Amino acid sequence: MGTLADLRSIPVDPLEPIPYRVVELVQETVDVITVVAAPVGQALPPAQPGQFMLVWAFGVGEIPISVSRMAADGRVMLTVRAVGQVSGAIVGLQVGEVVGLRGPFGTVWPVAEVLGADVVVVAGGLGLAPLRMAIDALVQPDPRRITVVVGSREPAQRLYPGDLTGWAEQGASVHETVDTADREWHGGVGTATTMVERLHHPHQAAFVCGPELMMMSAVRALAQQGVPTDRTWVSLERNMHCGIGHCGRCQLGALLLCRDGAVVRWDHVEELMEVRGR
Amino acid sequence: MFVLDPATGLDALVRALVDDGYRVVGPLVRDGVIVYDDVRSGDDLPKGVTVEQSAGRWRLTIDDRPTRFSWTPGADSWKRFVFPAHQEVLRVRHVDGSFATTRPPSPDRPLALLGARDCETRALGVLDRVLIDPDHPDPRYAERRADTFVVAVTCGQPSATCWCTSMGGGPRPREGFDILLTEVTTGVHRLIAEPGSERGSALLARVGIAPATDEDHADVEAVADAATSSMPARLPGADIPTLLAGMHHPHWDEVAARCLSCANCTMVCPTCFCSTLSDTAALGADHAAGAETVRVQEWASCFQLDHSNLAGHPVRATTMSRYRQWLTHKLQTWPEQFGTLGCVGCGRCTTWCPAGIDLVEEAAVLIGAGAQGGTP
């Protein structure tokens, strides 16, 4: 068993969080904040677009959060909505406090693979966070080929409005819609799928992230418009608990989503997504 | 190969392993079942024990025969020694406005597993593939496995719930051991020992009483052949993944009507690896200096309602969806994930199911062709 003996001492423990200090907190909406965290000592490898980290709040627990942006000197931006105990603790952090990070984990939006094509990016709610770096990477070289569709519940829940304006100013086609409008709202009203159905420009590839039902309807609408299912990627979520494919909790069919996802090609999961309780 | 005396030779083997610094773990009869725990001498090991197993049933009989390995395993498996059901992963303390982690000490002695059957050595191989993956090897598991010495045993008397021959195995282990013992009861009662590694060879040279003869070799083959013919293949092994019915087959509901979702099958399974991490805060722990939390890893089961929790709600809310997840994982999706089937055919899930659900019978229906060969 020579190969086993070689593993007698493994220096890196994938279950061990690395300390990061909160250096800035950005209030995005009433219950969503972006935590900007800098490594206290050694930094983790930089996250690629679509990857997530396991974020650990001391004494509370650990949850998966997608990295919305990487900044200079290894700073990580994590956008969190307070929904449970751990996310509540993260949202309640103060500047100067320390969190533990593990990762980055998971697959990456295949930006290089779709560059040069007309790409539509569809985001629902917080689903814009894991797409943010991908949109940055798509818009920067060739903005006129990029369409961004963003659906929010209401105008006050819009995420990264400054980014949306910036991408539009660079030349991308940005379409916003809300489920419920108010007097000041001049964008679209309805679901992201409704907005996708109104797109007349033919796209050759799509990145989609949002609530599961929203993604399923958006992908169907995209397919109707001729976006091939093998050029459509979605970001799926399951109970990503260990991040390394060892705990078995994030399985979707043969996929261990923390390892084989979150970003998956739609034709690889299409059949499974139609099954309840899979 | 060497010949060992079933009493003195086995005792010499145990003592040699202890002398070499191993923590020797082997079969013991305790509370009416076979459990695996620390052994100090050959006398600790079972004598004259046979086991009768069927779906939902496990019974042990002791008679005055001198046999040492006439039993088949109980609910216990070697998994809990290399991948404990509850283990501390690390401790985290607040230090200087940040935190520092410490790992628990390494085991003081390497393990020697005495009495592992073919299904069990293969189960360790399956766990190796899962937990020592090239990208993120589990340091605790790898450390325990690295020096583990395995004394395997040929299964002379398989139980009615055994189906290793359906899963690419057989009564006689082919790999994954340092020493393989085969108990021969025809003629002179003896153990035939063959090495599977250099260290196994070196150890046998110290405890073997005589080199094996051609007759001994023939007897080993005969023991394995007799056991093989007593358990005809009931499932098509490597072909199962492609043959297994889809997610919409009506039989999933039929099984679910009997399944209690108790998780017994996953707890006794020697390859089930699902786990959960939890952080236990020391009492009063807050952000004050010195506060400490302990990160613990524990076995989990896909039959637990919260196993698939997403935003506080289970994705697999019904027993049907959880049973389907378990069986399709074992028999269908495991090869895609880890390049090997998740089932080794040990029969524990069937024996220890309180509802007596037989994996082979259910899989045979879901495969559609019916069980191949007879039902023993």
Side-chain angles (χ1 to χ4, degrees):
Chain A
M1 295 185 192
T3 52
L4 281 175
D6 298 340
L7 293 160
R8 198 169 290 123
S9 181
I10 293 170
V12 180
D13 187 343
L15 299 184
E16 185 170 325
I18 304 295
Y20 271 66
R21 194 175 307 280
V22 178
V23 291
E24 192 188 342
L25 294 163
V26 183
Q27 189 82 39
E28 304 283 3
T29 74
V30 65
D31 59 351
V32 177
I33 62 150
T34 295
V35 176
V36 186
V40 171
Q42 198 192 348
L44 293 167
Q48 304 298 313
Q51 289 194 302
F52 68 95
M53 287 188 176
L54 279 149
V55 183
W56 179 75
F58 196 101
V60 184
E62 191 176 47
I63 50 169
I65 304 281
S66 37
V67 176
S68 63
R69 203 165 261 166
M70 293 295 300
D73 55 35
R75 289 181 182 197
V76 179
M77 297 173 83
L78 304 151
T79 302
V80 189
R81 169 174 280 139
V83 287
Q85 221 171 10
V86 184
S87 56
I90 293 168
V91 168
L93 285 166
Q94 304 294 314
V95 169
E97 288 188 295
V98 168
V99 289
L101 297 186
R102 298 196 285 127
F105 299 120
T107 51
V108 177
W109 295 109
V111 172
E113 204 176 321
V114 301
L115 273 182
D118 291 326
V119 184
V120 56
V121 180
V122 187
L126 219 51
L128 186 57
L131 282 166
R132 196 186 197 186
M133 281 198 284
I135 300 172
D136 285 343
L138 287 169
V139 168
Q140 200 267 328
D142 203 357
R144 307 219 167 268
R145 285 180 169 272
I146 309 304
T147 302
V148 180
V149 175
V150 181
S152 311
R153 263 183 290 167
E154 54 194 26
Q157 288 285 344
R158 291 167 68 223
L159 202 58
Y160 315 139
D163 285 0
L164 296 174
T165 309
W167 293 325
E169 281 171 3
Q170 288 176 68
S173 171
V174 177
H175 305 268
E176 278 200 85
T177 177
V178 296
D179 295 341
T180 313
D182 57 21
R183 278 166 183 273
E184 280 78 45
W185 181 248
H186 298 293
V189 177
T191 63
T193 301
T194 318
M195 189 60 88
V196 168
E197 284 164 350
R198 284 188 211 143
L199 299 174
H200 295 298
H201 185 77
H203 293 91
Q204 291 118 30
F207 293 172
V208 184
C209 184
E212 206 161 294
L213 289 174
M214 169 257 153
M215 287 194 286
M216 290 174 73
S217 73
V219 167
R220 273 188 220 112
L222 289 164
Q224 292 239 317
Q225 299 212 344
V227 183
T229 55
D230 64 358
R231 298 281 284 170
T232 300
W233 286 265
V234 297
S235 176
L236 297 177
E237 193 183 4
R238 283 293 178 271
N239 192 344
M240 283 117 152
H241 183 71
C242 73
I244 53 174
H246 288 194
C247 81
R249 302 185 75 142
C250 65
Q251 290 184 72
L252 177 68
L255 300 174
L256 289 153
L257 273 182
C258 74
R259 185 188 83 175
D260 308 321
V263 178
V264 293
R265 219 173 73 184
W266 179 250
D267 59 323
H268 292 163
V269 291
E270 187 173 9
E271 208 175 310
L272 271 173
M273 296 304 285
E274 301 293 337
V275 182
R276 272 182 74 86
R278 70 279 174 194
Chain B
M1 293 215 274
F2 285 91
V3 179
L4 300 185
D5 177 84
T8 58
L10 201 52
D11 188 52
L13 181 62
V14 172
R15 288 177 190 281
L17 286 166
V18 171
D19 288 347
D20 285 353
Y22 287 99
R23 175 190 172 194
V24 184
V25 180
L28 301 172
V29 174
R30 185 187 292 163
D31 300 329
V33 288
I34 297 276
V35 297
Y36 298 150
D37 212 338
D38 291 83
V39 294
R40 278 159 203 87
S41 78
D43 292 340
D44 293 342
L45 303 175
K47 199 181 279 185
V49 172
T50 47
V51 170
E52 182 209 329
Q53 299 194 47
S54 57
R57 184 182 159 84
W58 194 99
R59 291 291 182 279
L60 174 145
T61 313
I62 302 179
D63 57 34
D64 55 7
R65 290 182 307 154
T67 54
R68 308 311 298 268
F69 296 105
S70 44
W71 48 274
T72 46
D76 219 355
S77 79
W78 308 105
K79 179 173 79 175
R80 73 181 178 91
F81 296 95
V82 290
F83 182 58
H86 175 109
Q87 64 177 320
E88 190 178 311
V89 173
L90 47 90
R91 282 173 182 262
V92 193
R93 287 182 75 81
H94 266 296
V95 177
D96 301 331
S98 179
F99 63 79
T101 54
T102 48
R103 297 191 200 177
S106 300
D108 58 344
R109 287 171 295 165
L111 285 164
L113 311 178
L114 199 164
R117 307 308 172 101
D118 173 67
C119 55
E120 298 182 311
T121 57
R122 285 185 296 122
L124 290 171
V126 173
L127 285 179
D128 291 349
R129 280 183 175 245
V130 175
L131 298 174
I132 316 183
D133 69 300
D135 292 333
H136 300 289
D138 176 337
R140 285 158 294 281
Y141 178 85
E143 185 175 44
R144 288 195 198 90
R145 277 291 279 146
D147 294 317
T148 298
F149 192 104
V150 177
V151 180
V153 172
T154 301
C155 249
Q157 290 176 255
S159 284
T161 48
C162 294
W163 68 85
C164 62
T165 50
S166 301
M167 291 293 157
R172 187 178 173 191
R174 299 286 165 193
E175 58 182 11
F177 57 81
D178 295 285
I179 293 174
L180 172 64
L181 301 176
T182 302
E183 182 166 39
V184 177
T185 52
T186 50
V188 178
H189 180 212
R190 62 208 190 278
L191 298 172
I192 316 295
E194 52 190 291
S197 68
E198 275 178 32
R199 59 182 180 175
S201 201
L203 194 75
L204 279 181
R206 283 157 57 195
V207 300
I209 52 169
T213 63
D214 287 348
E215 192 188 338
D216 294 322
H217 283 261
D219 283 345
V220 167
E221 295 296 333
V223 168
D225 289 348
T228 303
S229 55
S230 76
M231 46 177 174
R234 298 165 68 199
L235 289 172
D239 293 331
I240 299 172
T242 49
L243 295 172
L244 202 69
M247 308 283 263
H248 299 289
H249 196 284
H251 193 67
W252 295 120
D253 283 314
E254 205 284 315
V255 190
R258 288 174 281 134
C259 174
L260 306 173
S261 204
C262 72
N264 260 21
C265 49
T266 54
M267 293 294 105
V268 297
C269 178
T271 67
C272 270
F273 60 84
C274 280
S275 66
T276 190
L277 288 172
S278 55
D279 293 320
T280 310
L283 212 62
D286 52 18
H287 290 246
E292 184 177 61
T293 75
V294 183
R295 171 159 287 194
V296 169
Q297 182 179 33
E298 288 175 293
W299 289 358
S301 169
C302 54
F303 281 97
Q304 291 170 305
L305 193 57
D306 66 356
H307 190 260
S308 61
N309 262 14
L310 192 60
H313 300 281
V315 171
R316 290 185 283 275
T318 63
T319 298
M320 186 283 281
S321 60
R322 296 201 287 282
Y323 187 89
R324 185 177 62 187
Q325 166 62 25
W326 178 68
L327 198 68
T328 54
H329 188 212
K330 282 279 160 221
L331 297 180
Q332 194 166 42
T333 56
W334 204 300
E336 282 184 63
Q337 294 171 348
F338 304 110
T340 170
L341 274 167
C343 173
V344 292
C346 74
R348 284 182 178 84
C349 55
T350 297
T351 296
W352 298 94
C353 175
I357 296 172
D358 184 334
L359 179 143
V360 170
E361 284 179 12
E362 308 309 332
V365 173
L366 288 158
I367 283 167
Q372 297 190 351
T375 307

